[in-house]
């Protein structure tokens, strides 16, 4: 019927909009991004550098590229290698553009000093190795305001706060999550944490009191992973899925 044929073309104001890729000398090429199945962005950027978790035979590595130097990446470009299993998350320190932390399947977190020049050899010696998780560590996040404070969350369902200067645990948040932690986020000043978990709860945690100060069960009905972040005004923004697996956003 003629009505059908008219509906074949979806009306969209973006139909004739095409993106223009930047020229080759303005992008990075030939980076072998990690193929590990883990829900992480695999990259982190700051005013000086771009870091990307890369494929690495036998261990875990990431590459650090100066923002000023784009183009084709030499296949022998030095890496940051020290983990004995894949790297799952990386995060630049908010107070020092030459410091980055990495979390790995080898259960450790490592903190690295990155020089302003490109080193000749791969960087293999971390400034500090943080040991305390019993399973792989998939999430790390620097405290937004306090110096030398780093958070890690592992598949042991623990959230640990570290003093990076001394390498000691400041705080272990245990018995709060009954299942895999999907994501963790600080609020603006670092006084509260929001976490999402496979047990279908979003929790707001006061780390100083070491207690859950608010929680919501099933902000989204679907079974797929939920993520949450704090907005500037203290509201919480979540992403998830409906029972029919349609994508949802929540405030």
């Amino acid at each position: 019927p003629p009505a059908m044929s008219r509906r074949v073309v979806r009306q969209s104001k973006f139909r004739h909009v095409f993106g223009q890729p930047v020229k080759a000398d303005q992008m990075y090429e030939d980076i072998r991004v990690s193929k590990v199945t883990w829900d992480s962005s695999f990259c982190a950027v700051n005013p000086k550098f771009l870091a990307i978790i890369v494929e690495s035979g036998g261990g875990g590595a990431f590459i650090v590229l100066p923002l000023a130097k784009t183009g084709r990446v030499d296949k022998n470009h030095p890496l940051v290698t020290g983990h004995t299993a894949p790297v799952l998350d990386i995060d630049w320190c908010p107070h020092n553009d030459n410091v980055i932390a990495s979390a790995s399947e080898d259960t450790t977190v490592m903190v690295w000093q990155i020089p302003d020049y490109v080193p000749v050899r791969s960087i293999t010696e971390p400034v500090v190795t943080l040991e305390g998780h019993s399973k792989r560590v998939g999430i790390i996040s620097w405290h937004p305001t306090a110096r030398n404070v780093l958070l890690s969350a592992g598949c042991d369902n623990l959230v640990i706060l570290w003093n990076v200067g001394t390498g000691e645990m400041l705080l272990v948040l245990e018995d709060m999550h009954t299942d895999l932690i999907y994501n963790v986020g600080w609020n603006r000043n670092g006084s509260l944490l929001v976490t999402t978990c496979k047990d279908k709860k979003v929790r707001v945690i006061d780390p100083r009191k070491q207690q859950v100060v608010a929680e919501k069960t099933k902000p989204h009905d679907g079974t797929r992973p939920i993520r949450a972040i704090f907005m500037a005004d203290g509201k919480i923004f979540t992403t998830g899925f409906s029972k029919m697996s349609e994508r949802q956003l929540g405030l």
Side-chain angles (χ1 to χ4, degrees):
M4 279 300 291
S5 60
R6 274 211 306 278
R7 259 192 316 216
V8 171
V9 179
R10 284 224 311 263
Q11 290 306 313
S12 163
K13 61 185 176 206
F14 299 115
R15 243 176 86 200
H16 303 294
V17 176
F18 296 96
Q20 216 45 54
V22 295
K23 302 214 168 24
D25 61 358
Q26 288 180 281
M27 58 187 176
Y28 297 99
E29 279 187 291
D30 289 353
I31 298 171
R32 300 210 325 257
V33 180
S34 168
K35 290 190 171 67
V36 175
T37 47
W38 187 252
D39 189 19
S40 154
S41 61
F42 289 122
C43 67
V45 69
N46 72 10
K48 285 185 183 178
F49 303 106
L50 168 69
I52 299 173
I53 303 173
V54 291
E55 280 188 338
S56 151
F62 58 96
I63 192 167
V64 176
L65 302 164
L67 292 189
K69 195 180 173 312
T70 47
R72 195 170 289 279
V73 178
D74 180 358
K75 64 177 190 299
N76 296 318
H77 191 286
L79 303 174
V80 182
T81 62
H83 286 289
T84 57
V87 176
L88 301 177
D89 198 13
I90 47 178
D91 194 32
W92 288 105
C93 173
H95 304 110
N96 183 338
D97 288 341
N98 295 77
V99 171
I100 188 170
S102 57
S104 167
E105 224 164 86
D106 66 13
T107 76
T108 69
V109 171
M110 292 179 175
V111 178
W112 307 86
Q113 181 86 28
I114 306 296
D116 281 325
Y117 56 87
V118 175
V120 185
R121 287 185 199 82
S122 288
I123 300 174
T124 56
E125 290 294 317
V127 181
V128 63
T129 300
L130 305 173
E131 297 179 337
H133 285 284
S134 59
K135 291 190 177 165
R136 59 187 178 165
V137 188
I139 298 166
I140 42 171
S141 179
W142 290 93
H143 192 285
T145 55
R147 281 179 182 267
N148 280 343
V149 176
L150 179 66
L151 171 153
S152 63
C155 292
D156 48 12
N157 308 342
L158 294 184
V159 174
I160 300 179
L161 292 186
W162 304 89
N163 176 339
V164 172
T166 62
E168 293 168 319
M169 293 186 221
L170 294 169
L171 203 63
V172 180
L173 302 175
E174 50 192 344
D175 305 332
M176 286 192 183
H177 300 88
T178 61
D179 210 330
L180 182 70
I181 299 165
Y182 286 142
N183 89 301
V184 180
W186 293 100
N187 66 348
R188 206 72 180 269
N189 63 9
S191 60
L192 294 172
L193 291 168
V194 62
T195 68
T196 58
C197 180
K198 198 173 179 178
D199 63 15
K200 299 191 174 59
K201 288 185 181 181
V202 173
R203 295 170 171 84
V204 177
I205 296 168
D206 182 329
R208 287 181 183 78
K209 291 183 184 151
Q210 299 192 39
Q211 64 193 58
V212 177
V213 291
E215 71 177 18
K216 184 165 179 64
T217 303
K218 281 195 154 177
H220 302 275
D221 284 328
T223 52
R224 295 165 74 179
I226 293 169
R227 296 181 80 88
I229 56 169
F230 269 105
M231 309 298 276
D233 59 5
K235 291 191 178 77
I236 288 171
F237 183 73
T238 61
T239 61
F241 295 84
S242 70
K243 272 213 163 61
M244 307 298 291
S245 277
E246 300 152 317
R247 292 169 184 278
Q248 293 183 333
L249 309 174
L251 187 61

